[in-house]
Amino acid sequence: MRRLTPYVPALLLLAALTGCQSPESGPQADQERQVVSALKGYEEALSQGQPEAIRACFTEDIDYLEGSDLRLKGPDAVLKGFATLNFKIVKAGFTPLATLRDGDLVRQTGLIRHRIEFPKGNRAWGEGRFEALWVQAPDGRWRIRRWETAPAQ
């Protein structure tokens, strides 16, 4: 402990001069929290099966990739794609693992765990990973510009 004592005042001064800020505070952290909140909104819209609420989560130029099999461009195409599924999402679930600012965009990665129901009433869990690219719209809301999913590892 004696060895560090002479350095404590210098470390405190350095922290004060550099404007030491917690990573959980500041404008970037606020934007990242807003995106996590927007993801919750998307999750709720999917769980409730509300097409207009789902559409409102996307930009007009959304690029939606479901694995390597399906690529949809634009919110209308995404909604039509959802309508053709042979199951219903009963409870959507997204767990963000990383939400990072990237210029004017926010990149988010995470896990998917949906409770799904098939036409005959059978239920199952659908799991996977997602990567989303969010952009802040002129109205201040964060919307998804690119959504890509992959199978769980």
Side-chain angles (χ1 to χ4, degrees):
M1 187 66 149
R2 286 184 181 178
R3 291 182 187 163
L4 290 178
T5 305
Y7 300 107
V8 171
L11 291 173
L12 291 174
L13 178 63
L14 180 62
L17 291 174
T18 59
C20 186
Q21 230 182 17
S22 163
E24 292 83 30
S25 65
Q28 182 172 341
D30 289 342
Q31 290 172 336
E32 291 170 5
R33 279 191 288 277
Q34 290 170 5
V35 168
V36 170
S37 178
L39 179 66
K40 283 288 179 204
Y42 180 47
E43 181 180 271
E44 289 170 14
L46 279 175
S47 293
Q48 295 170 4
Q50 300 174 333
E52 285 310 308
I54 294 168
R55 187 183 206 294
C57 295
F58 301 134
T59 61
E60 288 301 315
D61 61 346
I62 176 74
D63 190 15
Y64 193 96
L65 294 91
E66 189 75 35
S68 60
D69 300 336
L70 179 67
R71 183 174 194 161
L72 304 168
K73 298 285 259 174
D76 292 332
V78 173
L79 289 176
K80 285 178 187 174
F82 284 167
T84 64
L85 295 175
N86 68 344
F87 60 84
K88 175 185 169 194
I89 297 173
V90 176
K91 175 69 177 127
F94 300 111
T95 304
L97 299 178
T99 304
L100 304 167
R101 182 75 190 221
D102 184 7
D104 292 338
L105 306 171
V106 173
R107 185 173 306 280
Q108 187 176 53
T109 58
L111 303 175
I112 301 168
R113 188 158 198 245
H114 294 331
R115 183 75 168 152
I116 58 176
E117 183 175 88
F118 294 94
K120 293 186 178 181
N122 299 343
R123 289 188 173 198
W125 289 102
E127 297 181 337
R129 297 173 287 132
F130 75 89
E131 182 173 326
L133 202 56
W134 296 83
V135 63
Q136 195 168 24
D139 65 3
R141 288 189 57 188
W142 286 91
R143 291 192 167 83
I144 303 167
R145 175 175 284 165
R146 181 178 170 86
W147 182 268
E148 187 170 357
T149 65
Q153 286 182 301

